[in-house]
Amino acid sequence: MKRIVVGLLIALIASTVLFAAGQTEAEQESVIIYAALDEKTTQDLSKAFEEQTGIKAEIALQIEQAGSISGRIKAEADNPRADVFIGGNSNYHADLARNELLQSYRSPMIDEANISEEFMDKNNYWTGWYLGALCMIYNNERFENEIAPLGVNPPATWDDLLNPVYEGEVIASNPATTGGAYLMMAAQIFRLGDIQKGFDFIRELDKNVASYTKGANGSIPLVSQGEAIVGFAWGHDTLKQQIQGNLPITVVFPEDTGFEIGAASIIKNGPNSENAQKFIDFLLSAEAGKINAANGYRYPVRGGVELPEGVPAFESLDFAPWDLDLAEAQTDAWKKEWASITGK
Amino acid sequence: MKKLFKDPVLLLMFTIVTVALTVFVIYPLINVFVYPDSTDYAGVFSDLRYRKAALNSFMIMILSTLTATVFGFIYAYSIVKTDIPGKKFFRVISILPLFSPPFMVAFSYLMLFGKNGLITYGLFGVRASILGWHGLWLAQTIAFFPVASMSIEGVLRSISPSVEYAGRNLGADGFNLFRRVTLPLSTPGIAGAALLVSILVLADFGNPIMISGDFSVLATEAWMRVEGWGDVAGAAVISIILLIPSVLIFLFQRFWVKRRSYVTITGKIVNIKQKPTVWWARILFFIFCSIVALMIILVYLGILLGAVVKGWGFDWTLTTQWLTEVLVRGKELVNSLVYSVLAGSISAALAIVAAYLVSRNRGPLTKYIDFAAILPAALPGIFIGIGYSVTFTSGVVDLYGTAIIVILAMIFWNISMGYQTGLNAFKQISVSLSEAALNMGANQLTTFWKIEAPLVKSSFVSAFIVSFIRSITTLSVIVFLATSHNKVATFTIMNFISDGFFGKAAALTTFLLIIAFLVLLAGRKIAGKNIQLFD
């Protein structure tokens, strides 16, 4: 018995010492990353950054749910572990900025590469580095068999979704459950240029909606599955799943569509704030843009980056005028209005 | 207490169990209440959305509990009290869902019975949406009726046929006998089963996340609070709303129903053959069981087929692409297996020790251990997940993203199951039994090995299996704790489904099932067929 206890104690001490030694060894220049991106993109970005700068980019956390990461950063407020938070739409970053958890930084790359101010936070708390456009999708087989015979063309504009032939066949998303879906709702208001008109559209659309999904991209599996005929989702996620999963859907980018800004931000009082700035600069480089586009089908904010096959050129898209600050400020009011219209 | 200090091993056991239960059950529980501040509480309570989700949760709880219990009762009655053919087959089939991830039913039914479902549309040309409360109702009924069936089966078996014979002799027959004798005797057991099911339905996360459409329930709303808005505090408040009814139902079940259970005392067990069932009743029972069994088999067929076809619903070419892809990635499956084996064995061991201490000692400390070891049975999985995520991911003990936090959550979420099994086992080992052995000349050690150890061994194995299966199939507990480093198969399956990768999701589910069934078979080999599963 005694021998076991002594043995255990020795093992414990030895492991603590080894652990401590391991800690000190990691004094090499580094930057610690929390990524709300897919695994491959994150790894490729980290590798490219290391090669370019010699600074070790450690992926401490990678999970596609940006909300989980944002929750994590809030939990670590007193003792931040990471330096940068990359990926996830600007909502999550703006929320962290409001909680005073971010460090403002304006990358010189913005001016160097002539990137539009439209994609940047006015107070520089977050940096937009890619865009996702809102798209419509429809199920090929069900459209051909059920809708086309009625003499209806494939959906091309937002108003096409109001056609009564789609009654009970539209999948939308619920702005109360996720920030992404909230932006999709705001897109209608911005597109129509008027709050009242925007909610009128939502009221009309509600007549056709079969289900409001909890996640912003909930329509992709359901429309692919044929549970409904049409829906809308983020274009980059849809294209990726359609191409990789060979889904039986068609992706349409309507005129006056909405978009989300994929952001990156520096966490306040992180262990390597200076390297974090370098990482933000790197995200705005052509190389990072190419990695991101190739793996995630996302549009880099800087022009002239080669896009994977099947992705329409950024210039071919037509966006509605966008007012993120208004959307931010009106979050509670608009969510409430939406709920009273849809009864959800 | 004096005894404690004389016996250092006993003291050590008491210390370990008390500290473990306090730190990993009681402390996180309190923390969930303390973590949100007043604005978080006000925010959730004033939001109509959550009031509605609460109402929905209770509505679906009542519906699903009702059907699951009725199904469970008829099913169990058919197996115990009638002479329909294929009873053994029906019994085995109804056990399967207990060893499968609970969300599996919803996932499979979405593929089979949706608007484009293989059966509804493919076979019958019907386009009916399965999304919403009705789909959830169906999925939960099939997912949870086995729990009711198994528990009611035990009750029905305890009603001695001789009581029914007495009823017959007094002039009751057929339906009258059922109404006047069998049903009243089993009512408390049925109520107990219903309450057990209602706790599971209330806490169910997997089925609603897949199939409930925009019918929102508390468990999924809590997750969306984090996933959609990064608001852990809000999620904690929602999980508290879910916790309260769950604990109340649990207490009610424990202190009210259990006291009212009837035991028919007939002295020696008489082996009287049951009277044959009337032919038409036999046909009805057989048809009922067949339909229910078919609904279960379809769940598995749907998953298996989903795993080997290229694109569900549009490309039926057979492929091994999904199976190899998830096997090569493999990390999730390995994590699932390793975490669950560790959690299962530690949970079982700790539970048995706690049961030993409680059944062989008295005092306030044992009452406390009893309370803390039973409590997790009343805690919804998401509550445990949130509790661990607000308690052990900051400050001094930061276990965020580690395997340890997932394993700990699994250990203590499941400890009640092993604890109950252990208590029953120690109750059976009468002190007079060991005294008898001692009088016959055996020494203390022989007595322990020959008398107590064999009984404890089988309860350890069954405690291990239950907590292993619950660990490897849980989604609700780990969803708040998973990251890229410690993700397990169920989490990845959920992500695959929400990304529309049905083939990969089905393939991963298939492997998960294979692992679960292999472990179950191994357990039965070791412990014999009498392992007690799911109280």
Side-chain angles (χ1 to χ4, degrees):
Chain A
M1 194 66 195
K2 222 176 193 175
R3 230 179 256 172
I4 297 173
V5 174
V6 171
L8 277 177
L9 270 177
I10 291 174
L12 187 72
I13 295 166
S15 58
T16 321
V17 170
L18 282 176
F19 184 72
Q23 292 291 82
T24 45
E25 206 182 325
E27 289 249 316
Q28 186 207 347
E29 282 278 285
S30 67
V31 58
I32 299 166
I33 301 169
Y34 282 179
L37 299 164
D38 59 285
E39 200 177 339
K40 179 123 197 328
T41 309
T42 315
Q43 280 169 356
D44 288 359
L45 285 173
S46 134
K47 229 177 281 159
F49 178 72
E50 275 176 35
E51 273 164 25
Q52 217 176 72
T53 60
I55 299 169
K56 190 174 160 31
E58 188 196 328
I59 305 163
L61 175 58
Q62 172 267 315
I63 181 169
E64 288 187 52
Q65 282 86 1
S68 297
I69 294 185
S70 144
R72 177 65 192 153
I73 293 170
K74 286 178 193 168
E76 289 175 342
D78 297 334
N79 182 22
R81 303 287 177 90
D83 300 305
V84 279
F85 168 22
I86 62 172
N89 79 45
S90 53
N91 275 38
Y92 295 105
H93 298 260
D95 176 47
L96 290 174
R98 262 197 308 278
N99 283 288
E100 296 177 359
L101 297 171
L102 300 181
Q103 172 99 57
S104 71
Y105 172 66
R106 186 182 164 84
S107 168
M109 295 290 278
I110 299 171
D111 299 319
E112 237 169 78
N114 214 358
I115 299 167
S116 166
E117 290 294 335
E118 205 186 350
F119 310 134
M120 302 297 157
D121 177 30
K122 274 206 290 296
N123 302 314
N124 298 317
Y125 280 112
W126 50 263
T127 306
W129 61 292
Y130 65 85
L131 297 177
L134 191 53
C135 72
M136 303 198 299
I137 53 177
Y138 62 88
N139 183 293
N140 298 336
E141 200 190 318
R142 289 202 61 198
F143 180 84
E144 284 310 320
N145 295 337
E146 294 167 49
I147 306 297
L150 303 172
V152 176
N153 287 326
T157 68
W158 286 111
D159 288 330
D160 284 347
L161 295 181
L162 302 181
N163 192 328
V165 296
Y166 296 120
E167 196 187 328
E169 295 293 352
V170 177
I171 300 286
S173 54
N174 189 330
T177 47
T178 169
Y182 176 73
L183 279 183
M184 293 180 180
M185 178 193 76
Q188 299 304 334
I189 296 172
F190 294 142
R191 170 178 80 89
L192 294 159
D194 181 73
I195 296 172
Q196 199 48 50
K197 279 184 193 156
F199 281 115
D200 286 343
F201 176 86
I202 285 155
R203 189 173 292 115
E204 285 301 304
L205 183 68
D206 184 56
K207 292 176 185 160
N208 282 350
V209 170
S211 181
Y212 292 96
T213 62
K214 298 177 188 83
N217 286 328
S219 67
I220 305 174
L222 293 176
V223 172
S224 312
Q225 195 55 43
E227 193 58 41
I229 300 174
V230 279
F232 47 85
W234 294 121
H236 49 286
D237 298 321
T238 315
L239 286 168
K240 180 179 170 188
Q241 288 165 34
Q242 188 208 13
I243 294 166
Q244 295 184 358
N246 193 24
L247 300 182
I249 52 174
T250 302
V251 183
V252 181
F253 287 92
E255 273 179 23
D256 271 342
T257 201
F259 59 91
E260 65 166 355
I261 300 172
S265 53
I266 298 178
I267 297 158
K268 200 158 134 187
N269 301 327
N272 316 286
S273 292
E274 253 173 57
N275 293 340
Q277 299 187 350
K278 287 180 195 156
F279 199 83
I280 299 280
D281 297 344
F282 163 74
L283 289 179
L284 294 174
S285 70
E287 191 183 357
K290 197 174 159 188
I291 292 172
N292 196 19
N295 293 322
Y297 299 82
R298 310 175 188 97
Y299 292 111
V301 288
R302 68 181 286 153
V305 176
E306 187 191 326
L307 296 172
E309 230 187 84
V311 180
F314 186 65
E315 295 72 29
S316 71
L317 304 185
D318 178 49
F319 292 110
W322 210 237
D323 190 347
L324 261 187
D325 294 329
L326 182 65
E328 279 286 323
Q330 294 295 324
T331 308
D332 286 335
W334 288 1
K335 267 160 66 178
K336 218 170 253 169
E337 178 68 20
W338 182 88
S340 78
I341 287 174
T342 60
K344 300 295 171 198
Chain B
M1 268 300 153
K2 252 183 210 161
K3 200 174 99 193
L4 259 187
F5 293 101
K6 276 191 197 147
D7 189 341
V9 179
L10 196 64
L11 181 67
L12 185 72
M13 288 204 288
F14 258 110
T15 316
I16 291 175
V17 170
T18 312
V19 169
L21 289 173
T22 308
V23 174
F24 296 111
V25 177
I26 305 296
Y27 179 53
L29 174 81
I30 296 170
N31 235 326
V32 177
F33 285 86
V34 179
Y35 184 79
D37 57 29
S38 55
T39 50
D40 297 318
Y41 276 103
V44 169
F45 286 138
S46 65
D47 197 330
L48 280 175
R49 183 171 176 82
Y50 300 116
R51 225 169 283 175
K52 200 166 173 192
L55 279 178
N56 286 349
S57 284
F58 299 129
M59 184 195 110
I60 201 71
M61 177 189 89
I62 291 168
L63 282 178
S64 299
T65 303
L66 209 67
T67 44
T69 311
V70 171
F71 276 41
F73 180 76
I74 303 176
Y75 204 86
Y77 188 86
S78 313
I79 290 175
V80 180
K81 297 281 175 193
T82 71
D83 49 11
I84 54 168
K87 276 157 62 164
K88 213 169 189 175
F89 168 77
F90 287 135
R91 190 161 193 282
V92 170
I93 289 295
S94 80
I95 292 175
L96 292 183
L98 300 174
F99 297 93
S100 315
F103 59 80
M104 219 183 103
V105 181
F107 174 36
S108 185
Y109 283 5
L110 188 63
M111 298 197 289
L112 295 174
F113 300 112
K115 264 195 183 164
N116 219 16
L118 185 63
I119 291 176
T120 37
Y121 183 69
L123 219 56
F124 299 109
V126 178
R127 283 220 196 274
S129 176
I130 196 169
L131 295 181
W133 64 271
H134 56 286
L136 182 60
W137 187 16
L138 173 71
Q140 286 182 332
T141 302
I142 297 299
F144 296 119
F145 99 86
V147 177
S149 162
M150 189 167 240
S151 146
I152 294 170
E153 207 189 299
V155 174
L156 289 175
R157 276 191 207 288
S158 74
I159 301 173
S160 161
S162 56
V163 179
E164 290 171 350
Y165 257 72
R168 275 185 210 283
N169 289 342
L170 289 171
D173 208 0
F175 187 68
N176 231 347
L177 180 75
F178 169 76
R179 196 172 63 89
R180 311 273 300 255
V181 179
T182 317
L183 194 60
L185 278 175
S186 46
T187 302
I190 298 172
L195 294 173
L196 200 66
V197 170
S198 64
I199 293 176
L200 293 175
V201 172
L202 200 58
D204 187 19
F205 173 83
N207 287 304
I209 199 92
M210 311 265 163
I211 210 169
S212 75
D214 46 22
F215 179 81
S216 55
V217 294
L218 290 171
T220 49
E221 286 300 303
W223 163 238
M224 289 314 298
R225 229 24 248 175
V226 175
E227 142 83 344
W229 297 97
D231 179 11
V232 182
V237 178
I238 298 171
S239 77
I240 291 170
I241 307 177
L242 190 59
L243 173 79
I244 292 165
S246 180
V247 169
L248 289 179
I249 295 171
F250 182 75
L251 292 175
F252 182 68
Q253 193 238 357
R254 235 179 122 62
F255 295 110
W256 191 80
V257 176
K258 283 222 165 148
R259 279 201 196 143
R260 268 160 192 74
S261 64
Y262 304 110
V263 179
T264 52
I265 301 165
T266 54
K268 274 184 188 164
I269 295 165
V270 208
N271 211 355
I272 315 174
K273 272 223 158 170
Q274 265 172 15
K275 220 184 154 219
T277 320
V278 207
W279 65 271
W280 56 266
R282 195 194 295 158
I283 293 176
L284 283 181
F285 280 122
F286 183 74
I287 292 177
F288 175 83
C289 289
S290 304
I291 293 174
V292 172
L294 182 69
M295 289 301 282
I296 296 175
I297 294 169
L298 283 175
V299 173
Y300 294 88
L301 284 184
I303 299 287
L304 289 181
L305 191 58
V308 296
V309 300
K310 239 184 175 146
W312 186 275
F314 56 94
D315 185 353
W316 298 103
T317 327
L318 290 181
T319 175
T320 52
Q321 185 188 349
W322 311 128
L323 290 167
T324 43
E325 207 169 296
V326 296
L327 202 57
V328 169
R329 277 172 57 106
K331 188 179 157 196
E332 291 90 354
L333 280 172
V334 173
N335 282 355
S336 277
L337 184 63
V338 172
Y339 296 178
S340 307
V341 166
L342 284 172
S345 38
I346 297 171
S347 183
L350 203 59
I352 300 285
V353 172
Y356 177 76
L357 293 176
V358 171
S359 60
R360 293 286 188 260
N361 296 279
R362 265 171 226 292
L365 194 57
T366 55
K367 283 228 169 76
Y368 173 75
I369 293 177
D370 183 53
F371 167 76
I374 284 289
L375 188 64
L379 305 182
I382 61 148
F383 188 87
I384 294 267
I386 292 174
Y388 274 58
S389 111
V390 299
T391 309
F392 301 116
T393 63
S394 56
V396 200
V397 211
D398 189 349
L399 301 174
Y400 184 78
T402 58
I404 297 172
I405 195 169
V406 173
I407 296 169
L408 282 172
M410 289 170 170
I411 291 174
F412 289 94
W413 183 52
N414 291 320
I415 199 158
S416 318
M417 311 293 149
Y419 177 71
Q420 305 260 31
T421 316
L423 276 188
N424 289 341
F426 285 113
K427 238 186 250 165
Q428 285 173 38
I429 312 171
S430 161
V431 181
S432 56
L433 209 60
S434 15
E435 274 171 7
L438 287 171
N439 287 341
M440 300 294 283
N443 62 23
Q444 198 82 45
L445 199 67
T446 321
T447 316
F448 178 77
W449 277 116
K450 287 267 156 93
I451 295 180
E452 298 192 313
L455 278 159
V456 177
K457 185 189 121 195
S458 78
S459 61
F460 175 84
V461 174
S462 70
F464 167 77
I465 292 179
V466 172
S467 77
F468 171 83
I469 298 288
R470 279 169 50 103
S471 298
I472 205 168
T473 57
T474 185
L475 178 60
S476 56
V477 172
I478 52 95
V479 83
F480 291 93
L481 305 172
T483 70
S484 45
H485 304 295
N486 61 1
K487 62 185 169 194
V488 291
T490 47
F491 185 71
T492 306
I493 294 170
M494 181 184 84
N495 285 337
F496 278 155
I497 294 174
S498 75
D499 284 353
F501 297 140
F502 287 93
K504 286 190 207 172
L508 197 49
T509 310
T510 305
F511 284 120
L512 198 63
L513 284 174
I514 292 173
I515 293 176
F517 286 128
L518 283 180
V519 169
L520 173 68
L521 286 178
R524 280 177 81 106
K525 267 260 149 65
I526 297 169
K529 285 196 175 159
N530 296 326
I531 48 174
Q532 177 200 353
L533 301 167
F534 302 95
D535 190 339

